[in-house]
Amino acid sequence: MSDSDDTESGRRRHATIVEVADRAGVAIGTVSRYLNGHPVRRGNREQIEQAIGQLGYRRNAIAAAMKADLTNTVGFMVPSLSEFHAPVLEHLSRAMRRVGRALLTYCHDANPASIADALDFFVTHRVDCLIMDGRNDVDERILELIGNGTPVIFYDNGWPGLPVDRVLVENRAASFRAVTHLLDIGHSRIAVLTGNIGDWTGGERFEGYRQALLGRGIEINPDYVLDSHWYETEAYSGMLRLLSLPEPPTALYCCNYNMAVGALRLLREHGLKVPDDISLVSFDDVPLFQLHDTGITAVAQPVAKIAETITSIMASRLSDRGLSHAPHTITLNCDIILRGSTRRLITPQALGSR
Amino acid sequence: MSDSDDTESGRRRHATIVEVADRAGVAIGTVSRYLNGHPVRRGNREQIEQAIGQLGYRRNAIAAAMKADLTNTVGFMVPSLSEFHAPVLEHLSRAMRRVGRALLTYCHDANPASIADALDFFVTHRVDCLIMDGRNDVDERILELIGNGTPVIFYDNGWPGLPVDRVLVENRAASFRAVTHLLDIGHSRIAVLTGNIGDWTGGERFEGYRQALLGRGIEINPDYVLDSHWYETEAYSGMLRLLSLPEPPTALYCCNYNMAVGALRLLREHGLKVPDDISLVSFDDVPLFQLHDTGITAVAQPVAKIAETITSIMASRLSDRGLSHAPHTITLNCDIILRGSTRRLITPQALGSR
DNA sequence: TTGTACGCGTTATCAT
DNA sequence: ATGATAACGCGTACAA
């Protein structure tokens, strides 16, 4: 057999366009045009198709990418594949398939070095676009990508300021509504487990909490505000601290899913019931919350919509490159899913104000 | 500025190795050697580093890949980013970073066309390796990859037969132990919600159930065996059917997480309690199961170990290509996590046998 | 050690 | 519509 050869790397060499052209008795230009859907004379087309079949020819997208400066590859980087990020990735992946691209996926460790590693990979592999959770500590490599015209899209997080597109949700307003719900049913001692206050998202969610309370004339009690940095473990210990307060809260607002899990775990181990002993509302809606006992009232982020929006921004950026519009920031709405994790409280004040 | 140029695509052109060589006053061969860590004369090295800095040069991994026939890119394809696959992907992603690779991620729709699309992408983009959930319906493209020496690694599923490496878990034995636990505490009317019986994994998990029952001399009651095809929705309706049986089961074995969620949802809507009204054991251990009321007894798959094993198989395949060893099948152990979802049943038989 | 020059597989341009 | 040929950016023999 002379159709295939072995390379020193132990991999069988792929047939090339040149071999196809030879066997079909046409020029490589003709084959290239055939491959790219341009018109080709009927007889030639048949010859080419036959040659391709016989040789098992497969287009080398790497070579094409080098020529076209387009890899059809999109960088995707998140801190973890949590219950929030995993569905986003799944939706994105399906959307990308529709436009003939795929995602180069990286999980960073939230430390600068790992982020730098990932970005180096993306830059050197010439991704067409970069999608990532917004960071505050901006790596120079992100600026580099922006500088050479690669669209960068943040989602979920990240301060305004950097010239990138952003797909965010109405964190502050949704938090406000969630906490207001607790106020409406009579709670005033409401604690919060916040994400990194330094993050835009963490700050906004806290701010919604703050405004809701202040709006009802309730002062913020520092003992009720615990920065658990988005982590389950810190929420777990934070919850313990809340319970040991002389006047523990009657309700709890968790700024993400992980922290709700931490809090629930501790409550469970201490034999405390939601909502009998404490009411609970959380950001992020996950299967767990539908099934947990009475169900957990939660803020549902529009995951599918987030992925769609990212995809369409990418498409428009990629179609008219060069014309660089100002960056967009798109803010999507959240739904509050009411379940059974909150209990109406009849407070002395409430009775008095009737 | 003449340092940078604009391409017609609207993207700024990257500096090349040639420009670096020019500016550094050395030959491109020298720059290339410098980049790849080969020895270079001190003075030259400094010149090169300076030039790289000034030009903002970044190695073009695409061009390198074309030359080396190595993309440092690994295909990853799964049906969804479920609570099982997402953590596997996360672990894999981190492991890949350590070896300078990244995953091209695809979610297929379990239909042949979408799988073919993904495989086409992988083949044309010349991934160094392919990692996927094992399929029974083998696409010709998988054979093509194998044929040209690209390692293919199945996990989670897939019939033996195809010459690929496999990383599986002891589905049958773990199922056997899980069901045996139910038997030990007095249950004999045990129903099962199975995954696709046609899948290897689905078949094995069912087989473990079957053998456990037969081992105790209990015949398989067809009414108690429902093929829910891994889906939550089908488990939901299947559960309904079980409850309407003249003699409903006292215990339920769910062959994956999704189906457990479906069953739990229906039970909840019907006001039935686990384990008071029915005992439950499930495959897959997820946060939900830790927190659900009394906790759900579950079979925990060794997710991190799965990812590690895949990575090391990949490494060895890639290091000595050419020498094609016979394919490995590695079977990992599962743990059974006992929680509160099963209730000891005092049956007449049990009393009699004392 | 360094420089030169060719090849990797495509696409695109220019005549024909 | 087709054929010949020049890029694309890098790695690497080979000669110096």
Side-chain angles (χ1 to χ4, degrees):
Chain A
M1 300 294 289
S2 62
D3 281 2
S4 59
D5 201 357
D6 279 0
T7 64
E8 71 294 340
S9 75
R11 200 136 60 141
R12 188 153 296 133
R13 217 178 53 70
H14 287 89
T16 76
I17 201 176
V18 179
E19 298 168 54
V20 173
D22 279 355
R23 184 176 284 238
V26 300
I28 60 172
T30 308
V31 178
S32 176
R33 280 188 292 271
Y34 164 81
L35 291 171
N36 293 298
H38 297 294
V40 166
R41 197 184 297 152
R42 185 199 179 85
N44 283 341
R45 182 173 50 224
E46 286 161 0
Q47 291 300 314
I48 292 172
E49 282 167 352
Q50 203 174 82
I52 287 179
Q54 291 169 353
L55 292 163
Y57 168 80
R58 293 309 216 110
R59 187 176 193 274
N60 184 335
I62 299 298
M66 178 160 119
K67 191 73 179 111
D69 195 28
L70 243 206
T71 57
N72 288 314
T73 272
V74 174
F76 179 79
M77 176 167 63
V78 283
S80 73
L81 289 175
S82 65
E83 281 72 4
F84 170 62
H85 289 297
V88 172
L89 173 53
E90 179 167 341
H91 280 101
L92 275 177
S93 165
R94 296 223 157 82
M96 289 297 157
R97 184 152 56 74
R98 265 174 248 128
V99 294
R101 294 183 209 275
L103 294 165
L104 267 177
T105 305
Y106 254 105
C107 290
H108 63 72
D109 307 333
N111 77 55
S114 72
I115 294 178
D117 278 356
L119 290 173
D120 277 338
F121 193 95
F122 292 147
V123 172
T124 58
H125 280 74
R126 303 289 195 262
V127 294
D128 297 336
C129 175
L130 171 59
I131 300 169
M132 58 183 286
D133 69 307
R135 313 297 306 174
N136 300 333
D137 45 346
V138 178
D139 192 283
E140 46 174 336
R141 292 164 187 80
I142 296 180
L143 299 171
E144 185 184 335
L145 281 164
I146 299 170
N148 67 41
T150 306
V152 174
I153 305 174
F154 279 6
Y155 78 96
D156 180 49
N157 205 344
W159 288 100
L162 215 57
V164 301
D165 294 308
R166 285 187 178 70
V167 177
L168 305 172
V169 301
E170 42 151 10
N171 288 293
R172 188 191 299 203
S175 273
F176 184 92
R177 294 205 301 279
V179 175
T180 295
H181 170 64
L182 290 169
L183 293 162
D184 284 344
I185 58 177
H187 293 271
S188 58
R189 284 167 25 214
I190 305 174
V192 61
L193 299 178
T194 77
N196 282 323
I197 287 292
D199 287 354
W200 177 81
T201 299
E204 287 291 292
R205 291 186 191 170
F206 171 67
E207 192 57 23
Y209 161 88
R210 202 179 134 268
Q211 291 185 356
L213 261 59
L214 293 182
R216 298 289 172 99
I218 300 175
E219 290 216 11
I220 306 301
N221 177 348
D223 288 342
Y224 286 174
V225 179
L226 272 66
D227 188 340
S228 299
H229 304 97
W230 306 118
Y231 290 131
E232 178 182 334
T233 49
E234 296 193 35
Y236 180 88
S237 51
M239 192 67 229
L240 185 60
R241 216 171 319 143
L242 286 174
L243 291 182
S244 61
L245 247 32
E247 202 173 45
T250 62
L252 177 66
Y253 174 52
C254 298
C255 288
N256 82 344
Y257 156 80
N258 289 314
M259 297 189 293
V261 170
L264 286 169
R265 229 182 57 226
L266 185 115
L267 289 171
R268 190 162 176 277
E269 291 173 11
H270 283 240
L272 296 175
K273 290 284 182 198
V274 171
D276 306 327
D277 300 306
I278 190 167
S279 290
L280 177 66
V281 176
S282 178
F283 221 93
D284 296 329
D285 187 38
V286 298
L288 168 61
F289 291 164
Q290 296 172 36
L291 289 174
H292 186 272
D293 217 350
T294 58
I296 305 286
T297 294
V299 177
Q301 297 199 55
V303 173
K305 185 82 182 165
I306 290 171
E308 275 171 38
T309 307
I310 291 173
T311 311
S312 82
I313 290 180
M314 186 190 80
S316 78
R317 285 287 176 201
L318 249 30
S319 67
D320 40 49
R321 263 207 230 271
L323 303 64
S324 52
H325 319 268
H328 291 307
T329 291
I330 295 191
T331 305
L332 302 171
N333 295 325
C334 299
D335 287 326
I336 305 225
I337 315 286
L338 294 177
R339 300 203 180 88
S341 64
T342 58
R343 189 168 70 90
R344 181 170 293 276
L345 212 64
I346 306 302
T347 63
Q349 298 93 311
L351 288 172
S353 70
R354 288 221 174 158
Chain B
M1 301 295 290
S2 61
D3 281 2
S4 58
D5 200 357
D6 279 357
T7 64
E8 71 293 343
S9 75
R11 199 134 62 140
R12 188 154 296 134
R13 217 179 53 71
H14 288 87
T16 76
I17 201 176
V18 179
E19 297 168 56
V20 173
D22 279 356
R23 184 177 285 237
V26 301
I28 62 168
T30 310
V31 178
S32 175
R33 279 187 293 272
Y34 164 82
L35 291 172
N36 294 299
H38 297 295
V40 165
R41 196 185 296 152
R42 184 199 181 87
N44 283 342
R45 181 176 47 230
E46 286 162 359
Q47 292 299 314
I48 292 172
E49 282 167 353
Q50 204 174 78
I52 287 178
Q54 290 170 354
L55 293 163
Y57 167 82
R58 292 310 214 111
R59 189 176 197 276
N60 183 336
I62 299 296
M66 180 160 118
K67 189 78 181 98
D69 196 28
L70 245 205
T71 57
N72 288 313
T73 272
V74 174
F76 179 79
M77 176 166 63
V78 284
S80 73
L81 290 175
S82 66
E83 280 72 4
F84 170 63
H85 290 296
V88 172
L89 173 53
E90 178 166 342
H91 280 101
L92 276 177
S93 166
R94 296 224 157 83
M96 290 297 157
R97 185 152 55 74
R98 265 175 248 126
V99 294
R101 294 182 208 276
L103 294 164
L104 267 179
T105 306
Y106 254 105
C107 290
H108 63 71
D109 306 334
N111 76 56
S114 73
I115 294 178
D117 277 357
L119 290 172
D120 277 338
F121 192 94
F122 292 147
V123 172
T124 58
H125 280 74
R126 301 291 194 263
V127 292
D128 297 337
C129 175
L130 171 59
I131 300 168
M132 58 182 287
D133 69 308
R135 311 298 305 174
N136 300 333
D137 45 346
V138 177
D139 192 283
E140 45 173 337
R141 291 164 187 81
I142 295 180
L143 299 171
E144 185 184 336
L145 280 165
I146 298 169
N148 68 39
T150 306
V152 174
I153 305 173
F154 279 6
Y155 78 98
D156 180 48
N157 204 344
W159 288 100
L162 214 58
V164 301
D165 294 307
R166 284 186 178 70
V167 178
L168 304 172
V169 300
E170 42 151 12
N171 287 292
R172 187 191 299 202
S175 273
F176 183 92
R177 295 204 302 279
V179 174
T180 295
H181 170 64
L182 289 169
L183 292 163
D184 284 343
I185 58 176
H187 293 270
S188 58
R189 288 172 16 222
I190 305 174
V192 61
L193 298 178
T194 78
N196 283 321
I197 286 292
D199 286 355
W200 177 81
T201 300
E204 286 292 293
R205 290 186 192 171
F206 171 68
E207 192 56 23
Y209 162 88
R210 203 178 132 268
Q211 292 185 354
L213 261 58
L214 293 181
R216 299 288 172 99
I218 299 175
E219 289 216 12
I220 305 303
N221 178 348
D223 288 343
Y224 286 174
V225 178
L226 272 67
D227 189 341
S228 299
H229 305 96
W230 306 118
Y231 290 131
E232 178 182 333
T233 49
E234 297 192 33
Y236 180 89
S237 52
M239 192 66 229
L240 185 59
R241 217 171 319 144
L242 286 175
L243 291 182
S244 60
L245 248 32
E247 201 172 45
T250 62
L252 176 66
Y253 173 51
C254 298
C255 288
N256 83 344
Y257 156 81
N258 290 313
M259 298 189 292
V261 170
L264 286 169
R265 229 183 55 226
L266 185 115
L267 289 171
R268 191 164 176 275
E269 291 173 12
H270 284 240
L272 296 174
K273 290 284 182 197
V274 171
D276 306 327
D277 299 306
I278 189 166
S279 289
L280 177 67
V281 176
S282 178
F283 222 93
D284 297 329
D285 188 40
V286 298
L288 168 62
F289 291 163
Q290 296 172 36
L291 289 174
H292 185 273
D293 216 350
T294 59
I296 305 285
T297 294
V299 177
Q301 296 199 55
V303 173
K305 187 81 183 168
I306 290 172
E308 273 171 40
T309 308
I310 292 173
T311 310
S312 81
I313 291 180
M314 186 190 80
S316 78
R317 286 285 176 203
L318 249 29
S319 67
D320 39 48
R321 265 207 229 269
L323 304 64
S324 53
H325 319 269
H328 290 307
T329 292
I330 296 191
T331 304
L332 302 172
N333 295 324
C334 299
D335 287 326
I336 305 226
I337 315 285
L338 294 176
R339 300 206 180 85
S341 64
T342 59
R343 190 168 70 90
R344 181 170 293 276
L345 212 63
I346 306 302
T347 64
Q349 298 93 312
L351 288 172
S353 70
R354 290 223 172 156

